[in-house]
Amino acid sequence: MPRKAAKYHSLKKIRVRQDWSRWSLFHLANLRPPNVATRTYFQQKWTAKSETRAYHGEHIREKKWRRQFRRDLPAVVPMDHKYLARHDGSEQAAGRGAGADTQDKPRVPAMTPYMQMTYWPLERRLDTAIFRALFASSARQARQFVVHGLVKVNGKQMLYPGYNLNPGDMFQVEPSSVMFATGAPKTRSAVARRIAAEKRAASSEAYEKAKADKPSSTPPEPMPSRPEPTPAELKKHMQSIMESVKEVLESGVGAKDKQKLRDFRNTIRKAISLWRTASPESVSTLDTQYAFLQSRLSTPSTDASAPQTPGPPPTSLTDDETGQLKAAFDRLKAESDYDSTWNKRDASKPYMTPWRPRDYMNAFAFIPRYLEVNQNICAAVYLRHPVARPGLSEVPTPFPIETGQLAFNWYLRRR
Amino acid sequence: MPPRLSPTFSLSFGNTAWEKTAAASQRQFSQSSCRQATLRRRKFYDWLNGPGAQLKERIPGSTNYLGAYDRFGNLVRASPGWQRPKPGEEKSVSKESAPKVAKESEPADTDKGSEGDGTPAGQETADELEMAVRRNEQDKKAEMGDADQQLPPETAEDLRPFPLNKHFRSQPVLSEELREAIYQRVKRDGVTVSLASVEFGVSNERVGAVVRLKQMEKEWIAQGKTLALPYSKAVLDMIPTTPYIDPSRPENKGKRPIIHEPINDLPVHPATRQQLFVPVAESYQYTRTDAGKAFDNNLLPADVRIPHPELVQAERELAQGLSFEERRRLATERYAAEKAKKDREEKKKKAEEAALKRIPQRRWDFVFQDINTERVGKNERSEKGVGWRYGFPHEDRKKGQVKIPTEVDA
């Protein structure tokens, strides 16, 4: 990777960069179409190349980009299924011999801006995709996230910013880093910094002390690995669940009551792990957990080992209890929601709290159609390669189509 | 070369008016273009504090792109009496009551393409779809407050983050409600991806991605992880979104869902990029299939290559005048055949998997497969024969061998 230019945001040359800075915005506002009247073709191409390359993959060596350049550019045409069903295409070829006496108004399709698609291979890069998904405030920052191991592709850590995403790849970035990258920067006074340092020191000291005091921790008992729990166990577990349900329903939403919610969550997990047949993937969301518990508890395992406890099934739920269980699950969901939304002051965060988007972000905020982003978990899927369609191109580039064409021609020269 | 005098020398020397003007008119001794830089910087800050100041913070409930402003920093689409809402008033304008839609809005019409005003035969326009979205948002806003303080919906120009690039604009993304609805439809109702795609007007791949991401989000909630909700809210407020029209609500009766994107995109085949002149008898019925053959022998016609060929089939049956019962029967037959094919493929895949010998390890599994080393082919380098063969050096240290992975298994 070439070093960042010494005058990255020079005011002398107009250079739009892939970032959300005020300099980029200023240059965007002052960008002019290329001068095609008084300059030679070579000069025009050269300028177009250097301007576009300062934006597209400025952190990539020219040679590397040249090897990636492709002269065939992807495009699509949106089709209308009703038309396709009712016509077989022969009506377009029909001449006067077929009885076509009058000429219809000639149809002029919108131009497909192929020439804005020159840099589409760079949009495949992982770092660029992270920047386009609004997870980082510049392409270089996105690159740093990848190199620092904050990015996963399909659930596996990916350390190469030059990884070319394939259609269907999912990438996720650490949410705290995303909040840091897109949030307003922190302004910290010297006093605040000193207080934070003191607190950190005190807490680490306390932690060390506690660690020294505590005897060697015993490993947690392994779960009984029986294929199916006995009804007695089921009953016990249901009782424990219902107990914690009551606790949870009594508690409000506050810092102190979080412990109870966490315990409840653990109880549920334990109960679910008791059924060996239920694989953890299938009951991973709250809804499925609730549905699973309800189905298992209300229709107890009569087929497993019922002989000891005839009569009323011990683990069936009354309507009242079902309602309580549901309410407890809702509380669990609300708690998670509350935790996430509650945007409070927190000196330990590396960004300004309460969080707000950084200045000038809105002028650069757009998500191209080839990405599907879920902002809640800071993950996105690269759906397909960017394409051109009539009137629209999906590669975000700040330059007019003339510049795009000149740049394309520059790289075409050596093919 | 003239001697370099420090600029302070002449200034410190005399104090008379004559000397001052003479010093000012003299040439610059400094070699750096300091004045130029200062001028540029001043212009930069003038712009930032003038027209650029509008872009510093978002307008609550609206997009805020450079293309929406004129040279002097005036929001072009705003009415003259419009005042930029203060950050404190954000609550009143934000999208709290998003599903509330009052007026009847025309859904994006897909059969406009064949009527041909500007669009060639059989094509859809993306502009139509997006205008429908924006009109809808506008209706929602208009119901909420006085007209003077409301911004009209964005035109295509207002959505340009790069004013010079006429071929790029910020296109709407799915709103939270729409994502949830798609997830529920696929996961709870068990609808196929392609059907959900047609119902919501969202492309096949996007439906799959939404379900995958939403599933992960729900797992995070179950695990009690902290979501990036403040970020999510801010971002979705900054960019245009496609709202969800909930058909179960009484006020949405008789409305079709808003189409998010064209779902029948035909990829341009490289063979069709050239222009062909094919003489054909005028009496000959020259169809799309023939045209495809003319370009490339293996090129299928558009009605097969689009992502939703079943829509064409259904429409064709409708045009043939088949009864409803008949059409339903045909559709179920097709569905069954497709399902059987899918099942067969899955079975085959599973059988292949089962044939492998698998030894689980802590992080990765060892997988053994029967390989015949003799199948190296004529040049002895075919991939069918595996393993290092005597006399062939590894190529992974050669120049130009890229070691970045090319794929990651999901």
Side-chain angles (χ1 to χ4, degrees):
Chain A
M1 170 173 136
R3 189 188 295 176
K4 199 165 166 179
K7 290 190 174 168
Y8 192 64
H9 289 304
S10 157
L11 289 173
K12 192 170 180 183
K13 268 184 191 170
I14 290 191
R15 289 278 178 264
V16 188
R17 307 285 188 184
Q18 275 188 350
D19 60 14
W20 301 344
S21 66
R22 47 202 176 135
W23 293 280
S24 281
L25 194 63
F26 176 66
H27 289 324
L28 267 183
N30 287 326
L31 207 59
R32 296 282 167 265
N35 173 10
V36 290
T38 58
R39 307 185 74 206
T40 66
Y41 189 42
F42 182 89
Q43 285 170 338
Q44 293 172 34
K45 282 196 290 185
W46 173 273
T47 314
K49 182 223 66 168
S50 64
E51 272 183 9
T52 50
R53 280 285 284 131
Y55 180 78
H56 292 283
E58 159 271 330
H59 57 290
I60 301 163
R61 271 181 293 123
E62 177 68 6
K63 191 164 181 180
K64 202 170 172 195
W65 152 240
R66 259 197 339 246
R67 288 168 71 91
Q68 276 187 303
F69 172 77
R70 293 278 164 274
R71 55 181 297 164
D72 40 340
L73 304 167
V76 295
V77 184
M79 300 304 289
D80 179 19
H81 65 275
K82 285 184 182 155
Y83 170 83
L84 289 179
R86 285 168 201 270
H87 303 88
D88 64 354
S90 62
E91 86 286 348
Q92 287 189 34
R96 291 187 61 182
D101 273 342
T102 53
Q103 188 90 40
D104 279 352
K105 200 167 50 174
R107 292 181 172 131
V108 187
M111 187 252 288
T112 306
Y114 280 102
M115 286 299 110
Q116 296 290 53
M117 299 288 295
T118 311
Y119 291 99
W120 78 267
L122 293 183
E123 301 298 313
R124 269 186 83 180
R125 284 175 60 97
L126 180 57
D127 53 358
T128 315
I130 289 169
F131 172 66
R132 295 296 186 206
L134 306 182
F135 292 155
S137 66
S138 72
R140 277 181 181 260
Q141 190 179 38
R143 187 196 152 87
Q144 194 186 38
F145 283 170
V146 180
V147 171
H148 287 195
L150 302 168
V151 176
K152 286 179 181 173
V153 174
N154 287 336
K156 285 179 194 139
Q157 195 185 55
M158 170 60 70
L159 292 176
Y160 300 101
Y163 172 70
N164 278 331
L165 289 163
N166 296 316
D169 273 354
M170 178 170 75
F171 55 93
Q172 46 189 124
V173 188
E174 196 59 38
S176 54
S177 310
V178 172
M179 305 265 280
F180 164 69
T182 58
K186 193 169 191 167
T187 45
R188 244 179 160 189
S189 66
V191 179
R193 217 175 293 139
R194 210 182 58 224
I195 289 172
E198 276 169 9
K199 265 189 188 169
R200 223 178 303 131
S203 68
S204 70
E205 206 171 276
Y207 176 72
E208 289 293 325
K209 221 181 195 177
K211 219 167 118 185
D213 288 351
K214 213 167 69 177
S216 61
S217 59
T218 52
E221 288 175 22
M223 295 302 299
S225 54
R226 242 166 274 155
E228 190 83 5
T230 62
E233 272 177 341
L234 285 185
K235 191 177 176 188
K236 213 180 94 198
H237 259 281
M238 201 209 66
Q239 278 167 352
S240 69
I241 288 180
M242 293 318 291
E243 259 171 36
S244 40
V245 160
K246 268 165 216 147
E247 257 181 30
V248 162
L249 289 181
E250 278 161 15
S251 66
V253 181
K256 279 183 184 173
D257 303 314
K258 275 182 189 168
Q259 190 58 40
K260 288 176 186 170
L261 284 166
R262 235 170 276 147
D263 287 346
F264 177 52
R265 187 173 279 135
N266 288 339
T267 329
I268 292 162
R269 260 189 223 144
K270 244 189 227 169
I272 284 171
S273 69
L274 205 61
W275 283 281
R276 305 283 297 174
T277 47
S279 56
E281 290 95 52
S282 62
V283 284
S284 50
T285 68
L286 276 184
D287 297 336
T288 48
Q289 279 177 5
Y290 174 69
F292 175 79
L293 275 188
Q294 212 183 14
S295 68
R296 286 312 177 102
L297 292 177
S298 56
T299 57
S301 52
T302 45
D303 52 324
S305 53
Q308 307 104 314
T309 52
T315 50
S316 68
L317 285 174
T318 62
D319 279 354
D320 188 30
E321 281 175 334
T322 319
Q324 281 185 353
L325 195 58
K326 181 82 192 148
F329 267 86
D330 286 347
R331 177 63 64 78
L332 213 54
K333 197 176 273 178
E335 181 248 8
S336 169
D337 227 35
Y338 175 84
D339 257 8
S340 312
T341 2
W342 182 231
N343 193 359
K344 60 174 183 275
R345 236 166 223 285
D346 184 355
S348 69
K349 293 276 193 287
Y351 43 84
M352 181 180 274
T353 46
W355 187 91
R356 64 175 179 82
R358 62 191 308 154
D359 289 345
Y360 305 107
M361 176 181 173
N362 54 53
F364 299 98
F366 54 83
I367 296 177
R369 278 275 164 93
Y370 56 86
L371 294 173
E372 173 59 35
V373 185
N374 191 328
Q375 284 85 10
N376 289 329
I377 53 174
C378 296
V381 174
Y382 182 78
L383 298 177
R384 52 184 167 77
H385 298 316
V387 290
R389 60 178 71 241
L392 280 179
S393 91
E394 285 186 351
V395 174
T397 173
F399 306 101
I401 194 160
E402 294 84 8
T403 306
Q405 183 165 17
L406 287 166
F408 183 76
N409 277 315
W410 171 267
Y411 290 107
L412 212 52
R413 188 176 60 161
R414 285 146 211 222
R415 304 279 136 182
Chain B
M1 202 172 151
R4 282 196 189 175
L5 298 174
S6 77
T8 49
F9 174 75
S10 61
L11 287 177
S12 60
F13 192 67
N15 278 333
T16 61
W18 177 83
E19 271 184 316
K20 266 184 190 165
T21 50
S25 65
Q26 267 167 10
R27 56 177 278 250
Q28 298 245 316
F29 290 110
S30 167
Q31 294 293 306
S32 67
S33 55
C34 178
R35 279 205 178 164
Q36 279 285 322
T38 316
L39 178 70
R40 275 191 221 109
R41 207 173 300 130
R42 201 169 57 227
K43 274 186 180 166
F44 170 60
Y45 281 110
D46 280 350
W47 186 84
L48 269 191
N49 299 327
Q54 305 291 326
L55 294 156
K56 194 165 181 181
E57 277 169 15
R58 66 194 151 133
I59 306 173
S62 165
T63 59
N64 193 21
Y65 294 118
L66 195 53
Y69 291 91
D70 64 3
R71 215 150 46 87
F72 310 104
N74 302 316
L75 193 60
V76 177
R77 70 172 189 279
S79 55
W82 181 74
Q83 291 273 319
R84 201 184 163 92
K86 300 279 185 304
E89 304 164 25
E90 200 171 317
K91 294 291 169 289
S92 63
V93 206
S94 69
K95 299 175 174 180
E96 288 306 312
S97 56
K100 259 197 243 165
V101 185
K103 260 195 305 183
E104 174 75 19
S105 74
E106 303 103 283
D109 224 323
T110 45
D111 44 9
K112 260 184 192 158
S114 50
E115 283 153 28
D117 31 290
T119 15
Q123 293 184 18
E124 291 180 325
T125 43
D127 298 10
E128 281 294 322
L129 304 180
E130 279 170 33
M131 272 323 284
V133 173
R134 265 171 259 140
R135 240 177 284 141
N136 191 297
E137 278 193 345
Q138 169 58 12
D139 293 346
K140 179 185 75 199
K141 273 182 203 159
E143 143 199 346
M144 277 164 51
D146 54 321
D148 203 30
Q149 283 311 308
Q150 291 304 323
L151 281 176
E154 292 99 335
T155 59
E157 276 185 29
D158 293 332
L159 288 171
R160 270 187 213 149
F162 308 126
L164 275 191
N165 186 353
K166 307 256 185 302
H167 304 284
F168 180 79
R169 65 163 167 270
S170 170
Q171 289 176 289
V173 300
L174 302 177
S175 60
E176 286 280 6
E177 301 89 38
L178 188 51
R179 284 182 210 163
E180 182 64 31
I182 292 173
Y183 175 80
Q184 293 296 350
R185 191 89 179 101
V186 174
K187 275 283 170 179
R188 195 188 52 203
D189 306 349
V191 154
T192 61
V193 167
S194 64
L195 183 55
S197 155
V198 174
E199 276 179 6
F200 291 102
V202 170
S203 74
N204 278 334
E205 309 97 61
R206 198 177 298 277
V207 171
V210 164
V211 172
R212 193 172 163 196
L213 292 169
K214 204 74 197 174
Q215 172 77 19
M216 197 164 140
E217 184 187 325
K218 286 180 186 276
E219 280 168 20
W220 277 36
I221 291 174
Q223 289 163 13
K225 282 194 192 173
T226 309
L227 307 179
L229 275 183
Y231 165 74
S232 167
K233 272 199 189 126
V235 167
L236 289 179
D237 196 38
M238 279 179 209
I239 52 185
T241 53
T242 306
Y244 173 52
I245 294 195
D246 191 354
S248 65
R249 285 169 168 268
E251 68 263 23
N252 291 335
K253 239 179 93 180
K255 270 190 205 166
R256 276 188 281 167
I258 291 177
I259 290 174
H260 176 66
E261 59 190 335
I263 55 174
N264 269 327
D265 276 348
L266 177 76
V268 173
H269 194 277
T272 59
R273 295 233 175 88
Q274 55 174 330
Q275 211 169 10
L276 280 191
F277 290 94
V278 184
V280 179
E282 214 170 299
S283 56
Y284 183 66
Q285 181 91 353
Y286 194 77
T287 60
R288 271 196 295 273
T289 322
D290 298 320
K293 283 260 168 60
F295 282 113
D296 190 311
N297 249 342
N298 299 322
L299 184 58
L300 295 170
D303 25 0
V304 191
R305 289 178 60 224
I306 55 175
H308 289 284
E310 77 276 1
L311 284 184
V312 179
Q313 191 61 34
E315 192 67 28
R316 231 171 242 161
E317 281 160 10
L318 194 69
Q320 278 168 12
L322 297 183
S323 70
F324 177 69
E325 291 302 316
E326 187 79 356
R327 276 186 285 138
R328 196 162 69 175
R329 191 182 58 76
L330 286 172
T332 34
E333 265 176 24
R334 270 201 304 275
Y335 179 69
E338 198 179 309
K339 192 145 187 282
K341 193 183 164 202
K342 218 179 241 170
D343 285 348
R344 238 180 297 132
E345 276 169 9
E346 214 159 85
K347 222 176 173 182
K348 202 177 155 195
K349 220 179 206 176
K350 272 200 179 148
E352 275 173 15
E353 283 267 303
L356 300 178
K357 192 178 168 195
R358 204 170 264 276
I359 297 174
Q361 293 290 311
R362 192 167 58 88
R363 286 178 69 181
W364 311 102
D365 296 352
F366 284 122
V367 182
F368 292 97
Q369 189 183 2
D370 274 345
I371 291 288
N372 187 1
T373 358
E374 299 305 313
R375 301 201 310 187
V376 285
K378 264 189 183 162
N379 61 356
E380 306 201 329
R381 279 176 184 265
S382 161
E383 311 105 32
K384 282 178 185 164
V386 293
W388 181 75
R389 293 176 63 75
Y390 185 78
F392 284 111
H394 286 305
E395 297 205 335
D396 56 352
R397 293 292 182 100
K398 264 192 175 176
K399 198 179 167 193
Q401 297 285 329
V402 181
K403 289 186 227 32
I404 299 177
T406 52
E407 59 184 325
V408 181
D409 291 336

